[in-house]
Amino acid sequence: MAVDLPASVVAKVLLLNTMVQAHIRPADLARKMHIKPQEVTRITDIKHSTKIDTLQNAFKALGKELVLELR
């Protein structure tokens, strides 16, 4: 059974998975993004809306590229 999720939620789950795989704590990501740790908490909160540009910057800070595809 598949669950249809909003793109922003999928991006946040991918961000969290990337952080876990790379052993990156929220404080580490905050340093890399030059933001406060509280902002990373909001970025990774699936209940908090986050601009796609902010998510893109988070991935970039982790050495990843967020790519959107239209089908």
Side-chain angles (χ1 to χ4, degrees):
M1 179 170 133
V3 177
D4 198 19
L5 296 173
S8 60
V9 172
V10 173
K12 288 182 181 210
V13 169
L14 291 171
L15 177 61
L16 287 166
N17 286 343
T18 301
M19 290 172 65
V20 168
Q21 291 170 351
H23 304 289
I24 301 289
R25 298 174 301 144
D28 300 328
L29 180 56
R31 269 192 296 284
K32 290 175 180 284
M33 293 181 69
H34 307 291
I35 61 175
K36 296 177 183 178
Q38 298 89 331
E39 291 180 58
V40 172
T41 300
R42 285 193 293 274
I43 291 169
T44 56
D45 182 354
I46 61 171
K47 294 179 183 177
H48 185 274
S49 55
T50 304
K51 292 181 180 180
I52 197 73
D53 295 349
T54 303
L55 290 166
Q56 183 179 24
N57 290 337
F59 280 109
K60 191 174 188 176
L62 296 176
K64 301 290 183 181
E65 180 182 12
L66 177 62
V67 178
L68 301 177
E69 182 178 325
L70 180 62
R71 294 185 190 175

